[in-house]
Amino acid sequence: MAASRSSSSWLTPLVLSVLLACTAASGDQHRLSVSYYDKTCPSAQHIVQSVMASRVAADQAMAPAVLRLFFHDCFVNGCDASVLLDDATPFVESEKDAGPNDSLRGFDVVEEIKYHLEHSCPGTVSCADILALASRDAVALLGGPTWNVQLGRKDSRGADRDAAENDLPSPHENATGLITKFAEYGLDARDMAALSGAHTVGTARCLHYKDRVYGNDGEGGADIDPSFAELRRRTCQAGDDVVAPFDEQTPMRFDNAYYKDLVARRGLLTSDQALYGCGGPLDHLVEMYSKDANAFEKDFARAMVKMGDIPPPPGMPVEVRLKCSMVN
């Protein structure tokens, strides 16, 4: 991990020139390219892959944690690494403190990657691009697909706690709400169905799924397998913070078992099961993905590229941060 910088002694003329060169407005940044760092930091992708491989080997849970960070970043004012900022100044109200983000993890993994990149290519690779690359590698390390990541994002100079409270899809969302939320960012129903497959790995707290497993009568509703509801009610007896896997079959393998769970009415969250059971196009997609892992992986990779292209609002001040948790 990078050592903290607590004084102004590190603001050498070279660093100051980097800060000035790295500050821009978001309207100038959004020309993404797979080859963006080929000349300025050719080792960037290797560094990200190496750190991710090491951290996931030590703790597989870091893979879904980093993937979740990317989702929560892009759905709040675009993919700008705002989710990584601490409450460092009166002008930054950290998104980490928003309710939907209170269980986010993996910040230290991103900072470790950034530390190595700053040693190799100072002031060059943005934290937003680190998130995009690390998410791709997280999926691949758990056996999922890989894809070419478009690069060239910049980092915001602020955060938006209110947007983090209100703009992220809720675990209690119904299908209409999910489609509407995703459409606000240019993502269609097929993108939404594929991206929801990220829940084939990772866990959720009872706080977020107890509404589904208890229902109005304490036994769950008609859209949940009774034995699954009972299993998760027993889990919840340990309290709201106890976790359960999204996919009980292969909880740390990136595969299509999530969709098989939905067909069996064993989706963990209300927003998971909302994808299946009402008839129509979403049911068709879930059934297809449950039977055809290649179709799911192809659509997931395409949708991740599309989500990663969500830009910050025009005119937002951006930069390449030297430390991901604080503005320059």
Side-chain angles (χ1 to χ4, degrees), residues 18-37:
V18 169
L19 297 184
L20 291 172
C22 289
T23 303
S26 64
D28 302 324
Q29 75 141 338
H30 210 67
R31 292 183 291 272
L32 304 184
S33 167
V34 172
S35 59
Y36 188 83
Y37 296 116

Side-chain angles (χ1 to χ4, degrees), residues 159-220:
D160 192 339
R161 186 187 300 173
D162 288 341
E165 291 280 7
N166 299 308
D167 292 356
L168 289 163
S170 164
H172 315 294
E173 207 88 61
N174 61 26
T176 301
L178 289 170
I179 290 170
T180 301
K181 287 272 190 184
F182 278 72
E184 290 173 0
Y185 293 96
L187 300 167
D188 60 27
R190 189 178 187 116
D191 299 324
M192 184 270 290
L195 289 171
S196 295
H199 282 182
T200 194
V201 292
T203 60
R205 292 184 294 163
C206 173
L207 175 67
H208 298 308
Y209 63 78
K210 65 181 181 181
D211 64 313
R212 172 158 163 73
V213 300
Y214 284 99
N216 295 326
D217 59 1
E219 296 185 0

Side-chain angles (χ1 to χ4, degrees), residues 295-323:
F296 160 55
E297 292 187 354
K298 181 179 179 181
D299 279 3
F300 181 83
R302 179 188 54 79
M304 283 292 286
V305 172
K306 192 173 176 181
M307 183 183 76
D309 199 37
I310 301 172
M316 175 184 284
V318 293
E319 63 186 7
V320 174
R321 292 184 213 136
L322 302 183
K323 185 174 173 63

